[in-house]
Amino acid sequence: CSSDLSRWPEFPIHEVPIHGITNGVHTTTWLGERMADLLDRHVGPAWRDDPAAPEVWRAMSELPDEVLWEVREDSRADFVRFARKRLSKQLSRRNASKSELNEAAGVLDPRVLTIGFARRFATYKRGFLLFSDKERLKAILHHAERPIQFVFAGKSHPKDDGGKHIIQDIFRFIRNEGARHRIVFLEDYDIEIARHMIQGVDVWLNNPRRPMEASGTSGMKVVPNGGLNCSILDGWWAEGYQPGNGWAIGDERIDPDQGRQDWNDAQALYQLLEQEIGPAFYNRNDAGVPLGWVAYMKQSMRELAPRFSTARMVREYTQRFYMPAHEGFVELQKDGLAKAKQALDWRKRVRSAWPGVRIDHVENSLPAVAKLGEAYRITAHVDLNGLAPQDVQVQVLLGRASAARNLDEPVIESMRLEKTEGRLSVYSIDLTCNQNGMFGYICRVVPHHDVVNVASELSLVRWQHIE
């Protein structure tokens, strides 16, 4: 159960003082004008004042379905117009023929389900996944009742030949497989393209190879715009996905055979497109509104928009880290830095004595087989090597014992000093057997000081030796 991190080699991984704060996106920067106007009218200014407030986004439940759907339709049409203009410009730079330019003016259909995929084309992001089965993809693109179109954008690193080959393969598919009107690749990916894409696509596709996704903020940006996510359960989507707010490609299992994993994920993606995403988008009521799809949009916005905003992210950093650090700094400054000086002297004393600190032996009053509710005592005899009792804490970790003799999710209890016997300080704790099954414990000594975050600063621990 020990950590692999070199600074805390003797601490269990769950005690290593490194904590994660999930990224967020700046809602007002990435929200399209149409959706912003809708929120202003139906939610009011609260969404601008605090985009991380869940109660703000709960108001989406009361929004008429047809009103929200109209904004989504108009936003998609805006994006299709932008994509056509951008494609025409990139073809003009290559001196394309007049027929090619005329064709560019008609690519994509503003009424068709539109999926976006835009990012750096590193191989682990698997831009090739959708193209694993070309015939199946063509059937999806040209389905008579439920066609789907895709917009790709991105760049590869100049030295990433694998990423370049993926982009080349996509261009070949578009050119050679009759997909010019259903797949567009926008070159020179930049913030302008990104903004139009996340505001206009119906679905954001993300299919990296697990567990290599760092975060995935692009997917967060589509959420307040009413876009949905279809992604591998990695990065932010591993936290954000719930049935009803988008789609998960495959599951969280990782196959050591990358080729087989790619094949499995491609099959899962095709199945989602054919059996869930396409039907949900095109199943309309008499007014032409896909009620199931709009329900997904509302749930996504309610659940994900406040959670994955920079407002929430900054607030979490502030509350969990910045304010406690500031309060500690203020405390150390008091009385002419008296506590800071005491803490410095304590650190020197503890580091000097620590090599000689040890747990001599541990005893317990448990029988070989304990009964539920039975009281028992654990006693530890500790050599503090000259440190004072207030310089340390002697603790016992208790938990269910695994077959490998590790403790699963142990509870930490502090032991009390009973007496001193020569060099040894005797600590004990009275407990009650309150769990059935195989149960274990282990004692340890850690430094302790009121104004020092011991685990972060010293990473010192002395464990009970177990034969």
Side-chain angles (χ1 to χ4, degrees), residues 368-388:
V369 178
K371 298 179 180 178
L372 284 174
E374 186 169 352
Y376 64 98
R377 172 174 289 191
I378 297 174
T379 305
H381 299 256
V382 182
D383 183 351
L384 297 179
N385 194 31
L387 293 176

Side-chain angles (χ1 to χ4, degrees), residues 19-179:
H19 306 283
I21 301 291
T22 301
N23 275 344
V25 296
H26 192 252
T27 307
T28 54
T29 294
W30 295 101
L31 198 67
E33 290 185 9
R34 293 184 185 277
M35 188 61 73
D37 290 342
L38 178 68
L39 293 175
D40 285 338
R41 294 196 309 271
H42 290 270
V43 177
W47 75 270
R48 295 181 185 272
D49 298 336
D50 187 3
E55 61 272 15
V56 169
W57 295 94
R58 281 198 289 268
M60 298 304 300
S61 299
E62 307 304 321
L63 192 65
D65 291 345
E66 62 274 12
V67 173
L68 181 58
W69 182 243
E70 182 181 8
V71 170
R72 176 96 298 278
E73 293 256 76
D74 290 343
S75 297
R76 184 189 323 108
D78 290 342
F79 174 56
V80 167
R81 284 190 288 271
F82 168 81
R84 289 171 175 173
K85 290 179 181 178
R86 188 85 181 205
L87 179 61
S88 295
K89 287 181 180 179
Q90 69 189 43
L91 288 173
S92 295
R93 289 197 302 268
R94 296 206 299 264
N95 295 317
S97 65
K98 186 175 182 180
S99 62
E100 288 178 301
L101 292 173
N102 289 336
E103 187 177 35
V107 300
L108 305 178
D109 186 329
R111 298 162 298 177
V112 166
L113 169 58
T114 304
I115 297 179
F117 182 99
R119 57 197 29 88
R120 178 171 54 88
F121 268 74
T123 51
Y124 80 87
K125 292 181 181 289
R126 298 192 299 183
F128 58 83
L129 200 67
L130 182 68
F131 302 88
S132 301
D133 186 333
K134 293 182 174 59
E135 294 305 315
R136 194 168 180 183
L137 174 57
K138 287 192 286 186
I140 291 170
L141 298 174
H142 304 296
H143 194 285
E145 298 175 353
R146 301 189 298 272
I148 301 177
Q149 59 194 11
F150 296 84
V151 178
F152 286 81
K155 299 177 181 179
S156 62
H157 189 278
K159 294 184 178 181
D160 183 1
D161 291 337
K164 294 176 187 177
H165 291 321
I166 293 172
I167 295 174
Q168 291 166 358
D169 288 343
I170 294 174
F171 272 101
R172 275 193 289 270
F173 181 89
I174 294 171
R175 184 177 62 249
N176 300 333
E177 302 293 341

